[in-house]
Amino acid sequence: MALFRAAAPLGAILFARNVEDPDQLRALTAARLRELLGAEAPILVDQEGGRVARLRPPHWPEFAPAAAFTGGPTGAARANATLLGLACAEAGFDVVCAPVLDLRLPGAHDIIGDRSFGDDPAEVARLGLAVAEGLQAAGCIPVIKHIPGHGRALVDSHLDLPRVAVGLDELALDCAPFAALADAGAWAMTAHILYAALDADRPATLSPLVIEQVIRGAIGFDGVLVSDDLCMKALRGEAGALAAAAIEAGCDLVLHCNGVLAETAAALAGCPVLSEVAESRLVEARAAMLARRRPINTGSLAAARDAWLASAAA
């Protein structure tokens, strides 16, 4: 907390290492982080369901992965996301890093796998929108990831830089779900992937070409763009330099997630003051989320979700 007092970030992202139980977590998010950073400071969590979940039993429900909803009713996916979002909001989170809009493609590395809704861009877009709407109904801002598409990666970007060598037609399929949700009021998280047909030298997170021409241009996403974790081994370099390079490339915000204080301090030092454009996007994202909130009957949501999961498992 001393570092945050000295060089306050815009917000924070929490991991399993930060979570003990509901009372401890609420005290951390509400009584410490928001008192320190401000009531509007975004507090993020990776909570997709399945493998990627920071809130887990016995204190929180276990949620199914995205693949469990493939081919199912839109209402079941939306209901599941609302219930997941309610658990996150009650714990003090207002930004949930989901849904994954990457395609699940044969031969690709399984780092995406069942986190994806499948290989059909239209199906991924349909269920991804349902999840985004469900999270917004619960009072959370969704983060679509990993733009412009991680599904063709042959290596895990946590460990190395994936290089995707397919042509523009194939990449257009990857971009399609993101384009379908470009105006959904969500944030988006970049992919640490080098797309040879788009920028042969830099991964998307650090590429003005990819961000300006593809993410902002062809896809049409004009919301808050946040980097994936700068600590992942797909990227090379000092934390401050990487943070500055990602912002210069066109990211509005960057994530630095390993918890090493010296590196976090360097990343904070590398970040410029929030631009007026980025601040406007943050305000618009929160307003869009609030506009989509709906009265919630948790019993009917759970019934809709559980009926589909039971039938799919039969």
Side-chain angles (χ1 to χ4, degrees):
M1 292 296 176
L3 173 60
F4 283 11
R5 291 188 186 94
L10 179 78
I13 183 168
L14 302 185
F15 291 85
R17 65 178 183 263
N18 307 116
V19 175
E20 297 174 8
D21 57 57
D23 288 342
Q24 169 269 337
L25 183 54
R26 280 191 296 270
L28 175 59
T29 54
R32 300 187 70 189
L33 284 173
R34 285 215 167 88
E35 281 188 3
L36 181 62
L37 302 179
E40 296 297 307
I43 302 180
L44 291 68
V45 64
D46 270 320
Q47 190 76 5
E48 301 170 9
R51 288 179 286 151
V52 179
R54 314 309 182 198
L55 308 180
R56 290 186 174 273
H59 297 298
W60 291 276
E62 186 165 1
F63 290 90
F69 298 93
T70 303
T74 301
R78 185 183 294 114
N80 182 71
T82 301
L83 293 168
L84 184 152
L86 288 172
C88 292
E90 196 276 336
F93 297 103
D94 60 350
V95 181
V96 178
C97 298
V100 170
L101 299 186
D102 306 314
L103 304 183
R104 184 170 68 248
L105 298 172
H109 192 282
D110 65 2
I111 188 60
I112 298 300
D114 65 357
R115 300 166 64 193
S116 166
F117 293 110
D119 62 358
D120 177 11
E123 177 73 346
V124 172
R126 177 180 74 88
L127 292 173
L129 180 59
V131 170
E133 291 173 342
L135 291 172
Q136 289 166 329
C140 298
I141 296 173
V143 183
I144 55 177
K145 57 189 186 183
H146 305 82
I147 198 168
H150 203 297
R152 298 182 191 277
L154 302 180
V155 299
D156 180 355
S157 55
H158 294 85
L159 304 176
D160 202 355
L161 175 63
R163 299 172 185 270
V164 171
V166 301
L168 295 178
D169 289 344
E170 290 91 342
L171 293 179
L173 296 175
D174 299 356
C175 292
F178 296 98
L181 269 71
D183 297 323
W187 293 13
M189 180 182 292
T190 61
H192 294 337
I193 293 183
L194 189 149
Y195 305 90
L198 304 177
D199 187 333
D201 300 315
R202 292 163 293 193
T205 301
L206 305 179
S207 171
L209 288 174
V210 174
I211 291 176
E212 294 171 14
Q213 297 182 14
V214 180
I215 295 175
R216 300 298 192 191
I219 290 174
F221 179 75
D222 194 36
V224 176
L225 185 64
V226 58
S227 79
D228 206 344
D229 180 12
L230 298 180
C231 304
M232 292 162 62
K233 292 183 171 57
L235 305 184
R236 296 286 187 269
E238 182 266 339
L242 285 175
I247 296 292
E248 184 176 355
C251 291
D252 296 309
L253 312 174
V254 296
L255 294 178
H256 187 277
C257 304
N258 67 7
V260 177
L261 291 183
E263 294 184 21
T264 303
L268 287 169
C271 290
V273 175
L274 189 68
S275 72
E276 289 185 11
V277 171
E279 187 170 5
S280 174
R281 287 172 177 149
L282 287 166
V283 171
E284 289 174 2
R286 190 172 294 276
M289 176 270 291
L290 292 173
R292 288 170 168 82
R293 295 186 72 171
R294 298 289 184 272
I296 294 173
N297 182 325
T298 56
S300 64
L301 291 176
R305 185 266 314 271
D306 294 346
W308 162 251
L309 292 176
S311 68

